[in-house]
Amino acid sequence: MTETDIALIHFGVTMEDLVKLTQIALSNGGDYADIYFEHSTANEISLRDGEVNSAGSHIDYGAGIRVLSGDQTGYAYTEVTTMEELTKAAYVASQIASKKIKTDNPFATALRKEVIEFPQGTGYYPTIHNWESVSVTQKIPYLKQLNDSIFSKDQRVDKVMGRISDSNTYILFYNSLGILTCDKRPMFSIVASCVMESNGRVENSSSSRSFRAGPEYLTQTIIEEIASDVVNKTSFLFNAVRPTGGEMQVVMGSGSSGILLHEAIGHAFEADFNRQNTSIFSDKLGKLICSKEISVADDGTIQYNRGSINVDDEGVPSQKTYMVKDGILTSYLHDRISAQFYNTSPTGNGRRESFRHMPLPRMRATYMENGKSKEEDLIASVKKGVFAESFTNGQVQIGAGDFTFFVKSGYMIENGRLTQPIKDINIIGNGPEALSEIIGVANNLYIDNSTWTCGKEQYVPVSCGMPSVLVNRLTVGGEQN
């Protein structure tokens, strides 16, 4: 019995049922229809004041049916997957997307069934055990160890908060092109926050790790890694100051600075924004947009990565897509709708928050590839500037590309050397301009495995990364002169 056979039994449907539902969905003149089944289980336990004080579980189950008819989209979902309720949802979706005049179908119609399989133990997140096999009581000792380890590393530690969460999402997908696939998607996250107090001064920071992995990833090693990281980050802040702001050169450290790449540049490469001419890159495909040393990829194939997927939520196998290759904008990130519009193949970026939502072009793991420089050489070339080490959050206007990001920690650069530790500054700029202002790329690419979540209308897990880069000119928001 194949994985898709098991998935059909799990959701209580047959191939004949799926074919019938797509026929109903297309009965009002639709061009394309798909059905997305989902069964998710999620668990979380939290620690505060040395004790595990909360635990919770959540189950979500249902199916969504989408119909595309020209420029119209019909979508309906149900939390009950009997044929009676699924038939109602298919009919409602067909009515929403109905069109009076029948036109040529822009989607090719398959006369065969294409099954995309990911047998257990294969794909980009093979697991040895499932999270369902791990009880709450088995996770508690890891939170206790996390708490005790953080307190043991610095006498200034005043409070510790910790959280372990895990989930399994089981999906089944079928569409009117005859594509049938399923996937089992695990997720595992640990988050720690630390508050330190010294001579009346209080500082705080946090650290997290998240992977598409099974319980075998929950080890003492990762607990110790997070404990050391959060203590070091918080301790650093006691010696840091807010610098004088102004326009200056900025060296972005490797890792979490990839959030700037994701927000200020990556979203502008998503094809729905370009198809609607709201992205500043809408007319830049095939053109040189930055240094030839820069290549930017969106990759759903990194093993165990938080942003990886075996297959997207439209039945398209995941892949690595170069958005920028040697400085040239080579591809947008496509779902099926934008791929049809641009007469190209979908890139495996059709993603959705749950069965209650329609898929959109979304990033997975977005990063810049290595350059030829060394980080220390980039720093050495700066007379006066900032080294931005730890990013947290930010905002961006997709159309104009203007952004602002919050930097939790870093250093001043003076005469080519890292000097005064700094904290709590804003980096302000414009995405395309910042990309074109990158004049040096280091060879130290790091993918940040924190709990990054993208909130473009819907919430999906992602990751990001970057090597250290030197941006010739950005506005740093700090203290006034």
Side-chain angles (χ1 to χ4, degrees):
M1 185 176 291
T2 67
E3 289 294 315
T4 50
D5 290 332
I6 296 171
L8 289 166
I9 294 171
H10 182 90
F11 289 104
V13 291
T14 65
M15 273 303 303
E16 290 74 17
D17 293 334
L18 298 180
V19 172
K20 181 180 178 181
L21 288 169
T22 55
Q23 290 173 342
I24 294 169
L26 296 175
S27 61
N28 279 288
D31 304 316
Y32 166 90
D34 59 31
I35 311 169
Y36 178 89
F37 293 85
E38 177 190 346
H39 182 193
S40 295
T41 58
N43 306 287
E44 181 177 293
I45 59 172
S46 300
L47 174 144
R48 189 185 182 99
D49 297 328
E51 296 294 334
V52 174
N53 62 349
S54 68
S57 296
H58 178 72
I59 298 174
D60 210 9
Y61 181 91
I65 300 179
R66 177 176 63 157
V67 180
L68 303 181
S69 182
D71 292 332
Q72 296 187 160
T73 299
Y75 195 77
Y77 69 86
T78 173
E79 297 173 354
V80 180
T81 58
T82 62
M83 272 302 288
E84 180 182 0
E85 294 301 319
L86 289 168
T87 298
K88 290 179 183 177
Y91 181 73
V92 169
S94 73
Q95 287 290 97
I96 297 171
S98 65
K99 58 186 177 184
K100 303 288 186 181
I101 303 173
K102 182 69 177 174
T103 60
D104 292 336
N105 189 342
F107 291 90
T109 302
L111 298 178
R112 61 189 176 86
K113 182 179 74 172
E114 179 184 350
V115 180
I116 303 172
E117 288 278 9
F118 299 96
Q120 182 120 16
T122 65
Y124 303 120
Y125 26 87
T127 57
I128 299 173
H129 305 289
N130 290 324
W131 282 105
E132 286 89 343
S133 65
V134 183
S135 67
V136 171
T137 55
Q138 289 174 292
K139 301 170 192 172
I140 289 176
Y142 291 98
L143 273 183
K144 294 273 194 179
Q145 179 190 344
L146 179 63
N147 177 80
D148 295 345
S149 180
I150 293 172
F151 269 103
S152 71
K153 293 181 186 302
D154 198 306
Q155 63 181 7
R156 294 171 296 179
V157 175
D158 184 55
K159 289 184 181 296
V160 171
M161 288 149 283
R163 184 176 77 249
I164 293 176
S165 60
D166 62 80
S167 66
N168 273 314
T169 300
Y170 196 17
I171 70 163
L172 173 69
F173 176 88
Y174 179 74
N175 68 12
S176 56
L177 304 180
I179 295 172
L180 174 69
T181 190
C182 66
D183 198 12
K184 292 180 179 179
R185 299 171 179 170
M187 186 67 76
F188 156 63
S189 304
I190 301 182
V191 180
S193 297
C194 172
V195 178
M196 289 187 184
E197 190 274 333
S198 179
N199 298 321
R201 182 173 170 183
V202 177
E203 298 288 355
N204 69 86
S205 192
S206 62
S207 179
S208 64
R209 300 290 184 275
S210 185
F211 303 93
R212 283 207 185 275
E216 54 272 14
Y217 251 63
L218 180 54
T219 64
Q220 292 184 354
T221 300
I222 197 170
I223 293 294
E224 282 299 313
E225 180 182 319
I226 292 174
S228 295
D229 189 37
V230 73
V231 168
N232 291 337
K233 283 181 176 179
T234 312
S235 178
F236 176 93
L237 299 175
F238 282 102
N239 297 315
V241 299
R242 292 196 75 215
T244 300
E247 191 175 83
M248 62 188 74
Q249 289 187 319
V250 177
V251 176
M252 304 282 193
S254 64
S256 65
S257 59
I259 188 59
L260 183 142
L261 190 71
H262 172 104
E263 293 285 3
I265 300 167
H267 277 305
F269 293 150
E270 290 170 332
D272 52 346
F273 292 126
N274 289 279
R275 179 170 59 88
Q276 297 159 12
N277 290 316
T278 56
S279 169
I280 200 166
F281 291 106
S282 296
D283 59 349
K284 299 291 193 298
L285 195 62
K287 297 180 181 179
L288 187 72
I289 60 172
C290 56
S291 165
K292 292 182 179 180
E293 191 178 0
I294 294 175
S295 292
V296 179
D298 184 77
D299 194 349
T301 69
I302 304 170
Q303 195 165 57
Y304 301 115
N305 185 269
R306 176 175 169 86
S308 289
I309 44 176
N310 286 325
V311 61
D312 77 359
D313 299 331
E314 295 184 306
V316 179
S318 201
Q319 66 180 54
K320 177 180 178 179
T321 302
Y322 279 101
M323 296 177 285
V324 178
K325 183 66 173 174
D326 301 327
I328 296 174
L329 176 53
T330 56
S331 177
Y332 299 132
L333 301 180
H334 292 288
D335 62 357
R336 287 189 181 275
I337 293 176
S338 65
Q340 190 274 324
F341 178 85
Y342 283 99
N343 193 28
T344 189
S345 299
T347 55
N349 289 90
R351 304 185 65 193
R352 65 181 98 197
E353 181 178 334
S354 75
F355 66 89
R356 296 181 179 86
H357 304 82
M358 292 183 286
L360 299 168
R362 307 296 299 274
M363 283 173 276
R364 298 158 302 183
T366 308
Y367 58 89
M368 184 182 296
E369 294 195 331
N370 276 323
K372 300 176 182 179
S373 301
K374 295 181 179 180
E375 181 185 80
E376 53 265 35
D377 293 335
L378 299 182
I379 295 170
S381 69
V382 177
K383 184 175 181 180
K384 182 179 180 181
V386 162
F387 178 79
E389 186 173 41
S390 176
F391 285 71
T392 52
N393 53 34
Q395 295 179 329
V396 63
Q397 292 181 315
I398 299 298
D402 296 325
F403 64 80
T404 177
F405 285 91
F406 186 75
V407 179
K408 184 70 173 176
S409 63
Y411 292 89
M412 289 300 301
I413 305 175
E414 297 172 289
N415 297 319
R417 295 175 58 249
L418 298 181
T419 56
Q420 174 66 50
I422 58 174
K423 65 175 181 177
D424 300 342
I425 63 172
N426 288 311
I427 298 290
I428 303 164
N430 176 272
E433 289 178 7
L435 188 63
S436 65
E437 288 279 355
I438 293 176
I439 57 175
V441 182
N443 58 0
N444 61 342
L445 168 63
Y446 176 68
I447 304 293
D448 189 277
N449 290 312
S450 300
T451 52
W452 298 109
T453 300
C454 179
K456 172 189 167 183
E457 299 181 32
Q458 309 168 22
Y459 292 93
V460 296
V462 296
S463 66
C464 57
M466 221 163 64
S468 299
V469 300
L470 171 57
V471 186
N472 191 47
R473 184 177 56 202
L474 282 173
T475 299
V476 175
E479 298 290 348
Q480 295 182 349
N481 286 315

